Amino acid sequence: MKSTTNEVVESHMAIFQKQLLYKKIVGQSSLKQRKTKLKKLLKAIEITYRKEIQKALFDDFGKSPAEVDLSEIYAVIGEIKYALRNLKYWMQDQGVSTKLVFVGSSSKIKYEAKGNVLIISPWNFPINLSICPLISAIAAGNTVMLKPSEYTVHASALIKRILNELFDEEEVAVIEGGIDVSTALLKLPFNHIFFTGSPEIGKIVMRAAAENLASVTLELGGKSPTIVDETADVETAAKRIVWGKFLNAGQICIAPDYVFIHHSQFNKFITASKNILFDFYGENPSISQDYTKIVNDQHHLRLKNYLEDAKSKGAKIVHGGGSDLESNSFEPTLVTHIAEDTDLMQKEIFGPILPIIVFEEINEVINTINGKEKPLALYIYSSSQKKINHILQNTSSGGVCINNNDLHFYNHELPFGGVNNSGMGNSHGKFGFMEFSNQRGIYQQHIPGVVEWLMPPYTHLKQKLINLAIKWF
Ligand code: NAD
């Protein structure tokens, strides 16, 4: 018999209660203690479990070991190593200046742990997108309940095994399960919820968080446009776009969702893209060890339907288009002549289909982008700084890559996140640490200050002092 949401809530309540009691200890943990935990995690991901992680992701959706190394292992160990190098500075109180009118006092910002946090992660990079927020949460001194995706069962089971081995559940607990489990967890009064997933579910998470006034980080998705203008090096652009789009079979939140190509570059772009696809994945990508499968039938059929819908409205498939439901392989597909009212242009594609749209004038492109929700990423290929600046000034997005795509994700010095429909809040490096911290503003009076001269009764002299304060301080 299926358990009800209330029963599921109760079963997780016990762990939550333990974490509630433990949060003070974790919150007050020292730099050394936090670094010890991060080092344990580093060793587990980089050495002990690297092969098992590769196997789990191959079993889940045929991901090649090299791609797992690049997009899961490297991303996680990069985040841990960066945190180990910088945590000392992040944890330090940050002194700030105080206005002259408050002479006799000092001010500082103290980073205190938010407390009990919930992390809900998606399936497309299950290790990376579960463990990277966990690193930030541990660095900031929080307890964590982590719910990985139900779609990648091997990866989720492995995450649970690794974290069970490294942490007591009063500090880090992994809860496997689907929507019912997620719904139950969202009822618990966490201090912060870090969600990575679709905008649609992001709204559900935010509504649930509102019940407890929990703060949220929403790392969402959307359609990330790519522009290749008349001044771009088209061969280089094609190579980088094809890599960024078809890595993980396009199941990437920051994949170039669709491309605007200047009409003068169109033929060269199509030829270059086809050649590069051949170089990357050979004659038959469905049997290439380097080309990932679609995660399940549901997503496979969704992509097939997008393609059928586009074809019925006049789109032309200039490369690929085939798929095999049994193996869940879906060919890298290039589509042109796409109508705006198609699923391909209205919904996040999240798969190996690349719509290519020809443009004459850059402002048409800007208008189309601005007519849609603000994207997670925007990619610009151009050799004209003037044109790049024009696009930057007239659009908005969570992040930007110029003359490349996807790579802004890997620079820990940059905040990673979306804006409005593509998300709110940031992850990576210090930005991730801050997301899991309360920035506590502390003002301390040391010797009597001039403010006391401004207290009632408001004599003529005090009014003059107030006027002076307004004018000068
Ligand atoms: P999803 O939103 O369907 O699921 C994400 C998580 O939410 C899963 O753990 C799932 O169990 C849970 N969930 C699903 N339905 C729920 C519900 N009704 N109530 C509560 N929880 C629920 O997303 P997905 O299919 O796993 O991932 C794909 C989406 O995630 C895409 O939109 C993609 O762009 C986005 N994404 C964003 C980032 C980022 O960093 N911004 C990274 C990866 C993926």
Side-chain angles (χ1 to χ4, degrees), residues 120-124 129 147-150 178-179 182-183 186 195-199 201 204 219-222 253 299 348 350 376 416:
I120 300 178
S121 54
W123 55 266
N124 62 326
L129 299 173
K147 195 208 82 66
S149 173
E150 66 277 28
I179 298 176
S182 211
T183 306
L186 285 169
F195 171 80
T196 308
S198 58
I201 309 301
I204 295 176
E219 293 283 1
L220 309 178
C253 58
H299 276 281
E348 180 181 7
F350 217 61
L376 183 57
F416 179 79

Side-chain angles (χ1 to χ4, degrees), residues 23 112-117 141-144 191-192 436:
K23 81 168 155 188
E112 65 176 20
K114 282 202 171 161
N116 300 115
V117 308
N142 297 275
T143 70
V144 178
N191 299 110
H192 186 78
F436 286 102

Side-chain angles (χ1 to χ4, degrees), residues 135-398:
I135 294 162
S136 301
I138 291 172
N142 297 275
T143 70
V144 178
M145 285 175 87
L146 164 63
K147 195 208 82 66
S149 173
E150 66 277 28
Y151 283 2
T152 36
V153 288
H154 297 93
S156 295
L158 184 57
I159 290 170
K160 186 173 174 110
R161 190 146 59 81
I162 297 172
L163 297 182
N164 272 357
E165 192 183 295
L166 301 183
F167 299 97
D168 292 331
E169 69 175 10
E170 61 195 354
E171 184 166 3
V172 177
V174 179
I175 316 291
E176 288 179 280
I179 298 176
D180 55 340
V181 170
S182 211
T183 306
L185 288 170
L186 285 169
K187 288 189 189 300
L188 298 173
F190 286 98
N191 299 110
H192 186 78
I193 300 172
F194 188 106
F195 171 80
T196 308
S198 58
E200 186 194 352
I201 309 301
K203 289 176 192 171
I204 295 176
V205 170
M206 200 166 169
R207 270 196 288 271
E211 281 302 311
N212 299 305
L213 289 178
S215 50
V216 288
T217 308
L218 302 177
E219 293 283 1
L220 309 178
K223 295 182 76 61
S224 298
T226 302
I227 304 167
V228 182
D229 81 2
E230 63 276 31
T231 69
D233 172 349
V234 75
E235 303 260 335
T236 306
K239 186 169 193 176
R240 294 175 185 168
I241 292 167
V242 164
W243 172 74
K245 176 72 187 189
F246 298 104
L247 183 90
N248 219 36
Q251 300 163 113
I252 315 179
C253 58
I254 47 170
D257 189 89
Y258 57 109
V259 176
F260 290 107
I261 180 101
H262 191 264
H263 66 95
S264 60
Q265 306 263 40
F266 176 75
N267 288 334
K268 276 195 254 169
F269 183 79
I270 298 286
T271 309
S273 300
K274 287 182 181 181
N275 290 338
I276 291 154
L277 280 169
F278 181 79
D279 291 347
F280 281 4
Y281 306 118
E283 189 80 54
N284 185 358
S286 60
I287 54 164
S288 165
Q289 292 293 308
D290 295 333
Y291 186 60
T292 305
K293 303 283 183 287
I294 303 304
V295 71
N296 57 27
D297 294 0
Q298 181 195 329
H299 276 281
H300 189 127
L301 292 172
R302 175 183 64 79
L303 291 165
K304 266 181 90 100
N305 289 339
Y306 284 10
L307 217 45
E308 286 312 313
D309 168 65
K311 277 197 297 190
S312 73
K313 291 170 184 158
K316 289 188 184 150
I317 295 177
V318 294
H319 187 85
S323 66
D324 171 38
L325 200 50
E326 202 170 315
S327 63
N328 263 337
S329 77
F330 202 111
E331 285 179 354
T333 301
L334 307 177
V335 190
T336 61
H337 300 83
I338 306 139
E340 184 56 33
D341 67 342
T342 50
D343 287 341
L344 277 186
M345 288 312 293
Q346 294 300 320
K347 298 179 178 166
E348 180 181 7
I349 298 173
F350 217 61
I353 305 173
L354 183 64
I356 300 160
I357 300 145
V358 175
F359 76 91
E360 306 269 333
E361 214 276 306
I362 196 65
N363 288 326
E364 302 160 25
V365 171
I366 289 172
N367 289 341
T368 308
I369 293 172
N370 290 341
K372 298 181 191 290
E373 300 283 6
K374 290 178 195 165
L376 183 57
L378 170 67
Y379 303 127
I380 307 167
Y381 284 87
S382 175
S383 57
S384 157
Q385 195 57 47
K386 198 170 159 213
K387 289 176 194 293
I388 294 168
N389 291 345
H390 178 72
I391 297 167
L392 289 178
Q393 246 159 19
N394 289 287
T395 54
S396 175
S397 66

